Amino acid sequence: QVQLVESGGGLVQPGGSLRLSCAASGFTFSGYLMSWVRQAPGKGLEWVSDINRGGDTTYYATSVLGRFTISRDNAKNTVYLQMNSLNPEDTAVYYCAAWTPSAGWGPKAKNDYTYWGQGTQVTVSS
């Protein structure tokens, strides 16, 4: 069956770094564009970043631009999110999600995505 499994979350101090991974299975990973989306406590979903199927086109939310980097390895069916200079406002559950071009770049409604992961918690605190 289709699975997106995130990993790499945890507790980190402000200014620190984390690298999230999302391993895909059960579908043709290279055929889908991918996103990272997050949800902070008590808040709605916030789009973080998109990457195209080949990995050579990326977009970022203003709040993470210059600090986060999305990448993918289609040979490993995995998408990554390198997060640097973390601050407490980055505390959230981070989800990866797969989508098709009809969904469009940038922020999307949850049901615009084809597949979702279960999320990984990132906590930034001293």
Side-chain angles (χ1 to χ4, degrees), residues 7-12 17-20 36 38-41 68 81 83 86-94 119-125:
S7 61
L11 174 64
V12 62
S17 299
L18 282 175
R19 189 193 194 202
L20 305 183
W36 284 96
R38 66 187 181 184
Q39 186 165 24
F68 290 10
L81 187 68
M83 306 186 295
L86 286 161
N87 59 61
E89 291 70 40
D90 296 315
T91 295
V93 177
Y94 283 72
T120 186
Q121 176 70 47
V122 172
T123 302
V124 185
S125 175

Short mmCIF file of all heavy atoms in Angstrom, two decimals, residues 7-12 17-20 36 38-41 68 81 83 86-94 119-125:
data_model
loop_
_atom_site.label_atom_id
_atom_site.label_comp_id
_atom_site.label_asym_id
_atom_site.label_seq_id
_atom_site.Cartn_x
_atom_site.Cartn_y
_atom_site.Cartn_z
N SER A 7 10.76 10.96 9.05
CA SER A 7 11.65 10.70 10.17
C SER A 7 12.61 11.87 10.30
O SER A 7 12.70 12.73 9.42
CB SER A 7 12.42 9.39 9.97
OG SER A 7 13.21 9.46 8.80
N GLY A 8 13.33 11.90 11.42
CA GLY A 8 14.35 12.93 11.62
C GLY A 8 13.94 14.07 12.53
O GLY A 8 14.74 14.95 12.82
N GLY A 9 12.69 14.07 12.97
CA GLY A 9 12.27 15.11 13.89
C GLY A 9 12.86 14.92 15.28
O GLY A 9 13.52 13.92 15.56
N GLY A 10 12.63 15.90 16.13
CA GLY A 10 13.14 15.82 17.49
C GLY A 10 13.19 17.17 18.15
O GLY A 10 12.61 18.14 17.65
N LEU A 11 13.90 17.22 19.27
CA LEU A 11 14.08 18.45 20.03
C LEU A 11 15.43 19.06 19.67
O LEU A 11 16.46 18.38 19.71
CB LEU A 11 14.02 18.14 21.53
CG LEU A 11 14.33 19.31 22.48
CD1 LEU A 11 13.27 20.40 22.33
CD2 LEU A 11 14.39 18.80 23.92
N VAL A 12 15.42 20.34 19.34
CA VAL A 12 16.65 21.03 18.97
C VAL A 12 16.63 22.42 19.58
O VAL A 12 15.55 23.02 19.75
CB VAL A 12 16.80 21.09 17.43
CG1 VAL A 12 15.65 21.87 16.79
CG2 VAL A 12 18.14 21.64 17.02
N SER A 17 20.03 22.75 13.81
CA SER A 17 19.63 22.20 12.52
C SER A 17 19.05 20.80 12.69
O SER A 17 19.38 20.09 13.64
CB SER A 17 20.84 22.12 11.58
OG SER A 17 21.40 23.38 11.32
N LEU A 18 18.19 20.46 11.76
CA LEU A 18 17.66 19.10 11.65
C LEU A 18 17.49 18.79 10.17
O LEU A 18 17.28 19.69 9.35
CB LEU A 18 16.30 18.97 12.33
CG LEU A 18 16.24 18.83 13.86
CD1 LEU A 18 14.78 18.83 14.31
CD2 LEU A 18 16.94 17.57 14.32
N ARG A 19 17.55 17.51 9.85
CA ARG A 19 17.26 17.05 8.49
C ARG A 19 16.14 16.03 8.56
O ARG A 19 16.30 14.96 9.16
CB ARG A 19 18.49 16.42 7.85
CG ARG A 19 18.30 16.12 6.37
CD ARG A 19 19.39 15.22 5.85
NE ARG A 19 19.44 15.17 4.39
CZ ARG A 19 19.99 14.17 3.69
NH1 ARG A 19 20.53 13.15 4.33
NH2 ARG A 19 20.02 14.21 2.38
N LEU A 20 15.03 16.37 7.95
CA LEU A 20 13.90 15.46 7.87
C LEU A 20 14.00 14.63 6.61
O LEU A 20 14.46 15.11 5.57
CB LEU A 20 12.59 16.24 7.88
CG LEU A 20 12.36 17.20 9.04
CD1 LEU A 20 10.97 17.82 8.92
CD2 LEU A 20 12.55 16.53 10.37
N TRP A 36 6.60 19.72 1.60
CA TRP A 36 6.63 19.66 3.06
C TRP A 36 5.62 20.68 3.56
O TRP A 36 5.58 21.82 3.08
CB TRP A 36 8.01 19.96 3.62
CG TRP A 36 8.98 18.84 3.46
CD1 TRP A 36 9.90 18.69 2.46
CD2 TRP A 36 9.13 17.70 4.31
NE1 TRP A 36 10.61 17.53 2.64
CE2 TRP A 36 10.15 16.90 3.78
CE3 TRP A 36 8.50 17.27 5.48
CZ2 TRP A 36 10.57 15.70 4.36
CZ3 TRP A 36 8.90 16.09 6.06
CH2 TRP A 36 9.92 15.31 5.51
N ARG A 38 3.61 21.93 7.38
CA ARG A 38 3.72 21.80 8.84
C ARG A 38 2.47 22.32 9.53
O ARG A 38 1.70 23.10 8.96
CB ARG A 38 4.95 22.53 9.36
CG ARG A 38 4.91 24.03 9.21
CD ARG A 38 6.27 24.65 9.61
NE ARG A 38 6.27 26.09 9.51
CZ ARG A 38 7.33 26.85 9.72
NH1 ARG A 38 8.52 26.30 10.05
NH2 ARG A 38 7.25 28.18 9.63
N GLN A 39 2.29 21.86 10.76
CA GLN A 39 1.17 22.33 11.56
C GLN A 39 1.66 22.58 12.98
O GLN A 39 2.05 21.64 13.69
CB GLN A 39 0.02 21.32 11.58
CG GLN A 39 -1.22 21.83 12.27
CD GLN A 39 -2.45 21.00 11.98
OE1 GLN A 39 -2.36 19.82 11.64
NE2 GLN A 39 -3.62 21.60 12.11
N ALA A 40 1.65 23.84 13.36
CA ALA A 40 2.05 24.22 14.71
C ALA A 40 0.90 23.96 15.68
O ALA A 40 -0.26 23.89 15.26
CB ALA A 40 2.45 25.69 14.73
N PRO A 41 1.20 23.84 16.96
CA PRO A 41 0.14 23.58 17.95
C PRO A 41 -0.96 24.63 17.89
O PRO A 41 -0.70 25.84 17.93
CB PRO A 41 0.89 23.64 19.27
CG PRO A 41 2.31 23.31 18.95
CD PRO A 41 2.54 23.88 17.58
N PHE A 68 15.71 26.79 5.03
CA PHE A 68 15.33 25.41 4.73
C PHE A 68 15.68 25.08 3.28
O PHE A 68 15.59 25.95 2.40
CB PHE A 68 13.84 25.21 4.93
CG PHE A 68 13.36 25.25 6.35
CD1 PHE A 68 14.17 25.68 7.39
CD2 PHE A 68 12.06 24.86 6.66
CE1 PHE A 68 13.71 25.72 8.70
CE2 PHE A 68 11.58 24.89 7.96
CZ PHE A 68 12.41 25.32 8.98
N LEU A 81 14.16 17.48 3.92
CA LEU A 81 14.06 18.89 4.27
C LEU A 81 15.18 19.19 5.25
O LEU A 81 15.16 18.74 6.40
CB LEU A 81 12.70 19.23 4.89
CG LEU A 81 12.47 20.72 5.14
CD1 LEU A 81 12.35 21.47 3.81
CD2 LEU A 81 11.22 20.95 5.99
N MET A 83 16.83 21.74 7.58
CA MET A 83 16.36 22.91 8.30
C MET A 83 17.50 23.47 9.13
O MET A 83 18.01 22.79 10.03
CB MET A 83 15.17 22.55 9.19
CG MET A 83 14.04 21.86 8.45
SD MET A 83 12.58 21.60 9.48
CE MET A 83 13.24 20.44 10.68
N LEU A 86 17.09 27.14 13.11
CA LEU A 86 15.74 26.91 13.61
C LEU A 86 15.41 27.86 14.75
O LEU A 86 16.27 28.22 15.56
CB LEU A 86 15.59 25.47 14.06
CG LEU A 86 15.49 24.46 12.91
CD1 LEU A 86 15.81 23.06 13.39
CD2 LEU A 86 14.10 24.51 12.30
N ASN A 87 14.16 28.27 14.82
CA ASN A 87 13.69 29.10 15.91
C ASN A 87 12.39 28.52 16.47
O ASN A 87 11.78 27.62 15.85
CB ASN A 87 13.51 30.55 15.44
CG ASN A 87 12.53 30.67 14.29
OD1 ASN A 87 11.36 30.32 14.42
ND2 ASN A 87 13.01 31.15 13.14
N PRO A 88 11.96 28.97 17.63
CA PRO A 88 10.78 28.36 18.27
C PRO A 88 9.53 28.39 17.39
O PRO A 88 8.66 27.51 17.52
CB PRO A 88 10.60 29.19 19.54
CG PRO A 88 11.99 29.62 19.88
CD PRO A 88 12.65 29.90 18.55
N GLU A 89 9.44 29.36 16.49
CA GLU A 89 8.28 29.44 15.60
C GLU A 89 8.25 28.31 14.58
O GLU A 89 7.24 28.11 13.90
CB GLU A 89 8.26 30.79 14.87
CG GLU A 89 7.96 32.00 15.76
CD GLU A 89 9.08 32.33 16.72
OE1 GLU A 89 10.27 32.23 16.31
OE2 GLU A 89 8.80 32.66 17.89
N ASP A 90 9.34 27.56 14.47
CA ASP A 90 9.38 26.42 13.56
C ASP A 90 8.84 25.15 14.22
O ASP A 90 8.73 24.11 13.57
CB ASP A 90 10.81 26.16 13.09
CG ASP A 90 11.36 27.30 12.25
OD1 ASP A 90 10.64 27.79 11.36
OD2 ASP A 90 12.53 27.68 12.48
N THR A 91 8.51 25.23 15.51
CA THR A 91 7.95 24.08 16.21
C THR A 91 6.62 23.67 15.58
O THR A 91 5.70 24.49 15.48
CB THR A 91 7.75 24.41 17.70
OG1 THR A 91 9.04 24.62 18.30
CG2 THR A 91 7.04 23.27 18.42
N ALA A 92 6.53 22.41 15.17
CA ALA A 92 5.34 21.94 14.46
C ALA A 92 5.49 20.45 14.18
O ALA A 92 6.58 19.88 14.31
CB ALA A 92 5.15 22.70 13.15
N VAL A 93 4.39 19.85 13.76
CA VAL A 93 4.46 18.54 13.13
C VAL A 93 4.68 18.77 11.64
O VAL A 93 3.96 19.55 11.02
CB VAL A 93 3.18 17.72 13.37
CG1 VAL A 93 3.26 16.38 12.64
CG2 VAL A 93 2.95 17.51 14.86
N TYR A 94 5.69 18.11 11.10
CA TYR A 94 6.05 18.28 9.69
C TYR A 94 5.58 17.06 8.91
O TYR A 94 5.86 15.92 9.28
CB TYR A 94 7.56 18.46 9.55
CG TYR A 94 8.01 19.84 9.93
CD1 TYR A 94 8.03 20.24 11.27
CD2 TYR A 94 8.41 20.77 8.97
CE1 TYR A 94 8.43 21.52 11.63
CE2 TYR A 94 8.81 22.05 9.32
CZ TYR A 94 8.82 22.41 10.65
OH TYR A 94 9.20 23.69 11.01
N GLY A 119 3.55 12.33 9.65
CA GLY A 119 4.14 13.48 10.33
C GLY A 119 5.26 13.12 11.28
O GLY A 119 5.33 12.00 11.81
N THR A 120 6.13 14.09 11.51
CA THR A 120 7.19 13.96 12.49
C THR A 120 7.28 15.27 13.28
O THR A 120 7.21 16.35 12.71
CB THR A 120 8.54 13.61 11.84
OG1 THR A 120 9.52 13.35 12.85
CG2 THR A 120 9.05 14.72 10.92
N GLN A 121 7.41 15.15 14.60
CA GLN A 121 7.40 16.33 15.47
C GLN A 121 8.77 17.00 15.49
O GLN A 121 9.79 16.34 15.69
CB GLN A 121 7.00 15.93 16.89
CG GLN A 121 7.04 17.07 17.90
CD GLN A 121 5.96 18.09 17.68
OE1 GLN A 121 4.79 17.74 17.48
NE2 GLN A 121 6.32 19.38 17.70
N VAL A 122 8.76 18.30 15.31
CA VAL A 122 9.96 19.12 15.46
C VAL A 122 9.68 20.13 16.56
O VAL A 122 8.70 20.89 16.48
CB VAL A 122 10.34 19.84 14.16
CG1 VAL A 122 11.47 20.84 14.40
CG2 VAL A 122 10.73 18.83 13.09
N THR A 123 10.51 20.13 17.59
CA THR A 123 10.37 21.07 18.69
C THR A 123 11.66 21.86 18.83
O THR A 123 12.74 21.27 18.99
CB THR A 123 10.06 20.34 20.00
OG1 THR A 123 8.86 19.57 19.85
CG2 THR A 123 9.87 21.33 21.14
N VAL A 124 11.53 23.17 18.77
CA VAL A 124 12.69 24.06 18.91
C VAL A 124 12.55 24.80 20.23
O VAL A 124 11.65 25.63 20.40
CB VAL A 124 12.79 25.05 17.74
CG1 VAL A 124 14.07 25.88 17.86
CG2 VAL A 124 12.74 24.31 16.41
N SER A 125 13.42 24.47 21.16
CA SER A 125 13.31 25.04 22.49
C SER A 125 14.65 24.93 23.20
O SER A 125 15.41 23.99 22.99
CB SER A 125 12.24 24.30 23.30
OG SER A 125 12.21 24.76 24.64
#
